[in-house]
Amino acid sequence: MGQGTEYGLVDLEEVETPGDEWEEIDVSDTEADRIARKRDRKFNQFQERIKDADQFKVEQSVFDDATFAALYKLVQDGHVEAFGGPLSTGKEANVYHALGDDREVAVKVYRINASNFRQMRDYLEGDPRFEGLGGKKKDVVLAWTKKELANLRRAKKAGVRVPDPIAAERNVLVMEYIGNEAGRARRLGEVQIENPETAYEVMREYMRRLYAAGIIHGDLSEYNVVFDEGQLVIIDVGQAVTVHHPNSRDFLERDCENVASFFARQGLETDPDELLEFVTDPEPDPSRD
């Protein structure tokens, strides 16, 4: 990150009004479930091609029939044209590089048998968008996938630079690929920051815009922010909660502590309490609705 980097903020005049925080998120069966049940010849051929592809052989446990069907549906809808290699693998999800209809995309495949299933429930329970969600692992993971899509859309509308959300089908999310020919964009924790003052101001403003839009990231740190073409980009918003979540204040305080501590290590004088006061200052305060 070169000297004089300005970390340009998204212009608020170019964004839409954030959507309805109380929008209901449907976790019922999708078209992918129907495709998996029908299993026609074209789907079977697609499934065999994916199974034989080198980039998917290592983590075959991620894919059940319905996940293959979700990938198939996203290809049929034109959101994905060709799959590349893995960008990251984890206990919760694998992310793959792919080509979309007119650009590179990232395809995030959540594991139905996620090892952090209980932690997912902690973020979902109390979110008004998921009232009445059952305890089945499949329903929780499907809800989490749609939650990340909804959170990306809300953050983008609020003027926060995030990966552009494209589509979700069952437990698969397609979004903008953040990176270039050399690979994925690097996280703040992986680079030397030449202009930490401006970077901190941008982070403060993005946290405030998220809060004003009614959501809190909940896991914000130098590992969930990347640098791309002169901008800071906030990633991994699946766990983001609404300001009315019973644990939202604790999550926000933790975010402020993490961000303030990181920039203090870059030589700035920061105070997590002052950051918290700045973030929660918008009028009207969405947490008082």
Side-chain angles (χ1 to χ4, degrees):
M1 296 160 70
Q3 187 72 31
T5 300
E6 293 301 326
Y7 313 108
L9 278 166
V10 172
D11 187 347
L12 277 177
E13 293 183 0
E14 297 179 0
V15 302
E16 305 172 45
T17 301
D20 180 11
E21 176 198 348
W22 305 93
E23 62 190 341
E24 181 180 351
I25 295 180
D26 183 12
V27 296
S28 58
D29 280 2
T30 70
E31 179 67 10
D33 294 282
R34 187 195 66 78
I35 292 171
R37 287 192 294 267
K38 185 178 178 183
R39 298 188 60 83
D40 64 17
R41 181 176 57 85
K42 287 186 178 180
F43 168 62
N44 286 334
Q45 290 174 343
F46 171 84
Q47 186 175 25
E48 289 305 312
R49 286 200 306 272
I50 295 295
K51 284 183 175 181
D52 290 340
D54 289 339
Q55 65 266 41
F56 295 112
K57 286 181 178 178
V58 177
E59 291 291 340
Q60 286 289 339
S61 61
V62 175
F63 303 104
D64 58 10
D65 285 350
T67 300
F68 282 115
L71 294 171
Y72 178 77
K73 180 68 164 56
L74 290 164
V75 170
Q76 295 299 107
D77 289 345
H79 299 303
V80 179
E81 291 188 355
F83 290 97
L87 296 170
S88 65
T89 59
K91 295 179 180 179
E92 177 184 290
N94 287 3
V95 183
Y96 298 92
H97 190 203
L99 291 178
D101 56 353
D102 60 355
R103 58 177 166 172
E104 295 175 277
V105 297
V107 179
K108 191 170 190 176
V109 182
Y110 278 100
R111 301 170 185 269
I112 294 299
N113 292 314
S115 60
N116 58 352
F117 169 76
R118 289 186 177 84
Q119 183 180 353
M120 284 183 169
R121 285 207 62 88
D122 291 342
Y123 285 98
L124 290 170
E125 289 178 347
D127 189 320
R129 297 172 294 180
F130 298 95
E131 289 184 0
L133 182 67
K136 292 181 180 179
K137 282 189 176 183
K138 186 198 82 168
D139 289 348
V140 171
V141 175
L142 266 58
W144 191 271
T145 308
K146 290 194 173 184
K147 180 171 182 266
E148 180 155 20
L149 181 70
N151 288 341
L152 285 170
R153 287 173 173 167
R154 177 176 295 278
K156 183 179 179 182
K157 287 181 179 179
V160 177
R161 180 69 176 98
V162 294
D164 185 23
I166 297 172
E169 182 65 40
R170 203 173 181 272
N171 58 317
V172 182
L173 172 66
V174 181
M175 56 191 159
E176 174 190 5
Y177 168 68
I178 307 296
N180 53 36
E181 312 80 45
R184 66 168 177 82
R186 299 175 70 188
R187 302 172 193 268
L188 285 192
E190 300 173 330
V191 300
Q192 180 177 355
I193 301 178
E194 298 293 342
N195 191 347
E197 296 89 351
T198 305
Y200 183 53
E201 289 304 311
V202 171
M203 283 298 302
R204 279 163 43 99
E205 179 61 24
Y206 279 167
M207 293 174 71
R208 183 172 179 167
R209 290 182 185 182
L210 285 175
Y211 183 85
I215 59 173
I216 292 163
H217 188 282
D219 192 28
L220 194 59
S221 73
E222 64 269 27
Y223 300 106
N224 284 328
V225 182
V226 300
F227 179 72
D228 180 63
E229 297 184 352
Q231 288 188 313
L232 299 181
V233 185
I234 294 178
I235 62 172
D236 293 337
V237 300
Q239 74 290 317
V241 300
T242 75
V243 292
H244 296 97
H245 189 285
N247 298 323
S248 63
R249 186 74 175 191
D250 292 339
F251 293 152
L252 180 58
E253 290 176 357
R254 185 175 64 191
D255 284 354
C256 290
E257 181 67 40
N258 288 342
V259 171
S261 294
F262 172 73
F263 282 100
R265 295 195 296 274
Q266 310 308 307
L268 300 185
E269 290 187 9
T270 63
D271 184 328
D273 292 332
E274 290 181 0
L275 177 56
L276 178 66
E277 182 178 356
F278 175 82
V279 170
T280 57
D281 191 44
E283 292 291 342
D285 184 340
S287 68
R288 303 190 184 281
D289 290 348

